[in-house]
Amino acid sequence: MEPILPPHWDPALVEEVWRVPYELRAAEAREWARAHHVRPAAQDGRRICLVAVDIQNTFCTPGFELFVPGAPDDNRRLCEFVYRNLGAITTIVPTLDTHRAAQIFHPAWLVGEDGRNPPPFTLVSAEDVESGVWRAADPAHQDHLLHYVRSLRAGGRYRLTVWPYHAMLGGIGHALVSSVEEAVFFHGIARDSQPAFEIKGDNPLTEHYSVLGPEVTRGVRGEEIGTRNARLIEKLSGYDAVVFAGQAKSHCVAWTIDDLLAGAPGLAERVYLLEDCTSPVVVPGVADYTEEAEAAVARFAGAGLNVVRSTAPIDGWPGLT
């Protein structure tokens, strides 16, 4: 019999911003666990970690700064995946993209020859900086900017992208999507499993798509400006399965998986991507990263990663039968 969904779940609310009634949900979660014989996560014989990448209003709620088309449907499926598999998911790791105004990828950091900031979605190449098309608004950062875009080019990363101000610390856009927050909270109470939040992206000197490390780790003089998250790689390596979902498939999801497989190459066969719970960045008429996203998923699958759907029973997933 297919697991039932708790009565509070309302898929129609996934595009809305609202306050989770914590006390009520906590009581319901405890009763749900009792009625459905859901054990504490500490008793799991098979340990499964769900990494929920950047499921924040800024990316997932219509009208917000970097809305990813497809995100609301992704989140409906993800919430139902969590509720249906409440007793199987040991830990949820929500990541939070976290920014301030003055960061290298926001308009205020750069100016053009006319002294104006670049519009959102401007791509800044090493050649652009070398020729003076774009320069650092603060002259003290010019050497770093040039070093940075050259480092991106040498590392085969995306060109520096000027993103709209987004995921601003303290703002509504920074918060988890309300329906997803509710599901994470419900899981935590029902399974006595504290969600393990991971903050990323607040370094002003580098982009930080992957939760496991920034795009550039060394400054112009070789100084350390960011590090790989070895602690999280070690943590994830301790699970029988690591499941990824979230936004966006072309950027933060793709680079996090890429870094995980590079840092723990033997883990690939224990990594699962919920293909119906993630979508690429698409800005109609401006940018479409669908092709890059699909190429990344194909590369991961070739390395042994498992691409699955949220509706498929976990017990039937490759390696978990």
Side-chain angles (χ1 to χ4, degrees), residues 84-287:
R84 288 190 176 114
N85 296 286
L86 201 71
I89 300 169
T90 307
T91 308
I92 300 179
V93 177
T95 75
L96 293 173
D97 210 27
T98 304
H99 302 320
R100 305 168 195 263
Q103 297 198 242
I104 199 167
F105 47 80
H106 277 158
W109 191 271
L110 300 164
V111 293
E113 296 171 301
D114 59 0
R116 297 178 182 271
N117 301 126
F121 305 108
T122 297
L123 298 178
V124 179
S125 68
E127 293 76 15
D128 290 336
V129 178
E130 290 165 350
S131 64
V133 174
W134 299 110
R135 67 180 189 276
D138 181 346
H141 293 142
Q142 183 64 23
D143 287 346
H144 175 75
L145 175 63
L146 181 57
H147 163 78
Y148 184 81
V149 291
R150 285 173 172 171
S151 296
L152 291 179
R153 181 176 61 186
R157 313 298 277 190
Y158 289 139
R159 281 182 289 172
L160 171 61
T161 302
V162 179
W163 296 109
Y165 298 104
H166 68 287
M168 299 295 287
L169 182 61
I172 297 173
H174 184 255
L176 285 178
V177 168
S178 299
S179 292
V180 174
E181 182 199 1
E182 180 179 56
V184 170
F185 179 80
F186 192 87
H187 171 271
I189 296 294
R191 302 231 52 210
D192 193 19
S193 174
Q194 190 87 305
F197 283 87
E198 290 284 340
I199 304 297
K200 69 177 181 69
D202 57 352
N203 187 328
L205 298 178
T206 177
E207 297 156 289
H208 205 305
Y209 297 127
S210 167
V211 70
L212 297 174
E215 297 300 285
V216 174
T217 59
R218 294 284 174 180
V220 67
R221 291 174 295 279
E223 73 279 14
E224 184 179 275
I225 61 172
T227 60
R228 298 297 172 196
N229 193 337
R231 171 193 55 79
L232 182 55
I233 292 176
E234 182 178 1
K235 175 185 177 74
L236 296 179
S237 297
Y239 287 90
D240 298 297
V242 180
V243 183
F244 280 91
Q247 305 306 330
K249 180 161 64 171
S250 53
H251 287 72
C252 299
V253 172
W255 288 130
T256 298
I257 293 174
D258 198 59
D259 280 351
L260 180 61
L261 299 186
L267 191 60
E269 293 182 354
R270 287 186 277 145
V271 177
Y272 299 79
L273 174 64
L274 297 180
E275 64 171 341
D276 57 341
C277 295
T278 183
S279 296
V281 169
V282 176
V283 182
V286 178

